[in-house]
Amino acid sequence: MGSRSSHAARIPDVDSIRRETGFSQASLLRLYHRFRALDWNEKGYLSRVDLQQIGALAVNPLGDRIIDSFFPDGSLHLDFPGFVRVLARFRPVDDEDNRNRDPKEPEPLNSRMNKLRFAFQLYDLDRDGKISRQEMLQVLRLMVGVQVTEEQLESIADRTVQEADEDGDGAVSFLEFAKSLEKMNIEQKMSIRILK
Amino acid sequence: MERGAKEKNHQLYKPYTNGIIAKDPTSLEEEIKEIRRSGSSKALDNTLEFELSDIFYFCRKGVETIMDDEVTKRFSAEELESWNLLSRTNYNFQYISLRLTVLWGLGVLIRYCFLLPLRIALAFTGISLLVVGTTVVGYLPNGRFKEFLSKHVHLMCYRICVRALTAIITYHDRKNRPRNGGICVANHTSPIDVIILASDGYYAMVGQVHGGLMGVIQRAMVKACPHVWFERSEVKDRHLVAKRLTEHVQDKSKLPILIFPEGTCINNTSVMMFKKGSFEIGATVYPVAIKYDPQFGDAFWNSSKYGMVTYLLRMMTSWAIVCSVWYLPPMTREAEEDAVQFANRVKSAIARQGGLVDLLWDGGLKREKVKDTFKEEQQKLYSKMIVGNHEDRSRS
């Protein structure tokens, strides 16, 4: 149609971000505008507070945990590449990706395993690779608030850990987690499609 | 140009509000059940309790809101289907051709060198006439002559200001115009709303006392007829505000009050929560819906981005401000309704008429945090799912 949009050129490192995340140019542009809209005082990066101001996220019981996954390792500033990297995990999987993939390259960010890993780290707060009974309880407590008694919650947590735990260590490792969900259509449930 | 821009046959301006992501509107329960069903290796039994996969629902919903939520996008200018030759609305359009750029350049020339000086001159005339006129009228003794003059001075000056902005307004259902002793409520997009409504009717304004030019105008206006201006400190005191408004409303000789219950400017694609203060007073409410056509100029005032002067300059360098005003039939609070329900009822009527999205969120959200009660509702819904069934199981 003509030369490339002057707007895409405003995104720093747009080509490497595109390669890494697999988003199309149009999607990246939309996400860039979204990033700028969330960064309402134009700092150039996002802080936790900016994400916490999204009303619909603040009422989500797991809202804080989700925000945490954008700020790994205690960092306080979220720049655009980091923002898109996390969102890339929710990119719908199309078969194109799998067919053209070079097996030597690292797994694409939106693979089934990576989607599972994202969900796993919402449970596994201390990042030790296992969901302990305590961590399970904590997540359950977040999701139900004050509506359920401690005993009920404990029995639910115990049962869930027991069902998924195969090697009997009282905790659910990532592989056990993945195995218990092997029939689940993760690709569909953990995907968000960006409109053109 | 004015003749060309007259409103065509369509009743509502077509809203181009696309979200940026595809969403399915299913409820929490349905979606979690579906997730479980698709992943469960057990036979379908009725005892649906907590599953590891439940987290996917909250996870995805959460990330969806990070990508696109109903509130944040209401505070940025509306997107257009096709470009209207204003670089400020150039959101996603690429360089297409030389001809288009030349057209755009021509447009800039016309707007800045021809239209802008004309409009500034008109605005200047309008405001000075308002100040001088109302001060002069203020010296007259109270009586019918003073009211008559005051009304006409106000109307004339607002009409000059309307011309200064080249606002092309179509009024619908003027028979429902607000009467004395009533409260007029409208959705709020910009300070221009006031000028648009006041040029067609004689209202008492409500607002905070400002300094500077605004303050001069306010002091002059109140000499001619009783407007309700609050000091900054008084605004916080809800009882005082309610008392003064009630007093004004009960005096049948006083003019209808003009109020914007959203409390902040929204981008004219939706109507947000109405503050219940004006609906507790018990007067008749005259709802008014205002819808701007974004094709000729974006009227939304993004107060965190632009100051008042920059905003007015932008308004005066657009092509025109085209809008529709609908006067809806008056509403009163019914016996079983409380103020909040009444406010929501009025809000829905306005949203429906103007073709706007009716949202429950509070416009103040862009500055404050949301209440915890909403989160508790979600938690309650989810708990019912896992515990309600758990109890059945332990009983059997």
Side-chain angles (χ1 to χ4, degrees), chain A residues 7 29 34 58-60 70 118-119 123 142-144 147-148 159-160 183-184 186 189 193-195, chain B residues 20-22 34 38 52 56 58 60 62 65-67 69 90 92 374-375 379-380 383 387 390 393:
Chain A
H7 293 80
L29 199 55
R34 175 68 177 167
V59 305
N60 187 316
F70 281 87
F118 188 85
Y123 279 109
L142 275 181
M143 292 204 272
V144 305
Q147 308 296 327
V148 177
R159 191 187 357 232
T160 316
K183 292 221 178 57
M184 170 112 5
I186 307 272
K189 293 301 168 193
R193 190 166 64 88
I194 299 185
L195 298 171
Chain B
I20 79 170
I21 54 183
E34 214 206 296
S38 78
L52 279 173
F56 290 152
F58 291 109
R60 193 179 87 176
T65 63
I66 293 186
M67 281 192 180
D69 75 302
N90 190 354
N92 212 354
F374 290 109
K375 192 195 281 203
Q379 289 170 330
K380 267 195 214 138
S383 321
V387 173
H390 180 73
R393 203 207 220 193

Side-chain angles (χ1 to χ4, degrees), chain A residues 19-20 24 28 45 55 72 91 93 101 103 116 126 132 162 164 174 185-186 188 190:
Chain A
R19 257 196 312 265
E20 197 186 341
S24 68
L28 271 182
Y45 57 85
R91 193 164 68 84
V93 177
R101 209 161 75 73
L116 277 171
D126 57 7
S132 66
Q162 252 171 12
F174 178 64
N185 185 355
I186 307 272
Q188 200 223 358
M190 288 276 274

Side-chain angles (χ1 to χ4, degrees), chain A residues 176-193:
Chain A
E176 291 163 350
F177 181 71
K179 183 133 184 288
S180 73
L181 294 171
E182 63 190 345
K183 292 221 178 57
M184 170 112 5
N185 185 355
I186 307 272
E187 288 83 346
Q188 200 223 358
K189 293 301 168 193
M190 288 276 274
S191 290
I192 302 176
R193 190 166 64 88

Side-chain angles (χ1 to χ4, degrees), chain A residues 1-3 5 7 23 29-31 33-34 37-38 40 42 51-62 64 66 70 83 87 90 116 118-119 122-123 131 136 139-148 152 155-156 159-160 163-164 172 177 180-181 183-186 188-195, chain B residues 16 18-22 31 34-36 38-42 49-73 76 79 90-96 304-305 361 365-372 374-376 378-380 382-383 386-387 390-391 393:
Chain A
M1 192 191 294
S3 52
S5 162
H7 293 80
F23 278 125
L29 199 55
R30 283 212 170 271
L31 289 176
H33 281 282
R34 175 68 177 167
L38 288 174
W40 59 274
E42 296 191 16
L51 290 180
Q52 279 163 352
Q53 275 186 340
I54 303 175
L57 186 61
V59 305
N60 187 316
L62 294 177
D64 284 327
I66 296 176
F70 281 87
F83 181 66
L87 294 179
F90 287 82
L116 277 171
F118 188 85
L122 287 182
Y123 279 109
I131 309 176
M136 182 74 69
V139 174
L140 275 169
R141 181 52 72 189
L142 275 181
M143 292 204 272
V144 305
V146 300
Q147 308 296 327
V148 177
Q152 281 175 320
S155 66
I156 294 178
R159 191 187 357 232
T160 316
E163 278 175 0
V172 181
F177 181 71
S180 73
L181 294 171
K183 292 221 178 57
M184 170 112 5
N185 185 355
I186 307 272
Q188 200 223 358
K189 293 301 168 193
M190 288 276 274
S191 290
I192 302 176
R193 190 166 64 88
I194 299 185
L195 298 171
Chain B
Y16 184 63
N18 266 345
I20 79 170
I21 54 183
E31 190 137 347
E34 214 206 296
I35 295 182
R36 288 178 176 172
S38 78
S40 175
S41 49
K42 301 195 274 269
E49 297 172 356
F50 172 69
E51 297 273 344
L52 279 173
S53 55
D54 288 350
I55 204 175
F56 290 152
Y57 170 76
F58 291 109
C59 184
R60 193 179 87 176
K61 273 274 176 293
V63 179
E64 269 179 1
T65 63
I66 293 186
M67 281 192 180
D68 186 16
D69 75 302
E70 283 299 318
V71 174
T72 312
K73 70 180 179 199
S76 59
E79 267 184 60
N90 190 354
Y91 173 83
N92 212 354
F93 302 108
Q94 306 166 4
Y95 171 81
I96 296 186
S304 52
K305 244 175 139 184
W361 294 103
L365 267 183
K366 71 178 174 181
R367 286 185 216 104
E368 301 150 8
K369 292 184 82 170
V370 75
K371 296 201 192 84
D372 279 330
F374 290 109
K375 192 195 281 203
E376 280 170 21
Q378 290 247 319
Q379 289 170 330
K380 267 195 214 138
Y382 182 64
S383 321
I386 64 173
V387 173
H390 180 73
E391 278 173 357
R393 203 207 220 193

Side-chain angles (χ1 to χ4, degrees), chain B residues 271 274 331 343-353 356 358:
Chain B
V271 184
F274 277 1
M331 294 181 164
N344 283 338
R345 192 160 61 95
V346 174
K347 176 160 67 82
S348 302
I350 293 183
R352 221 170 331 153
Q353 181 64 66
L356 307 164
D358 185 3

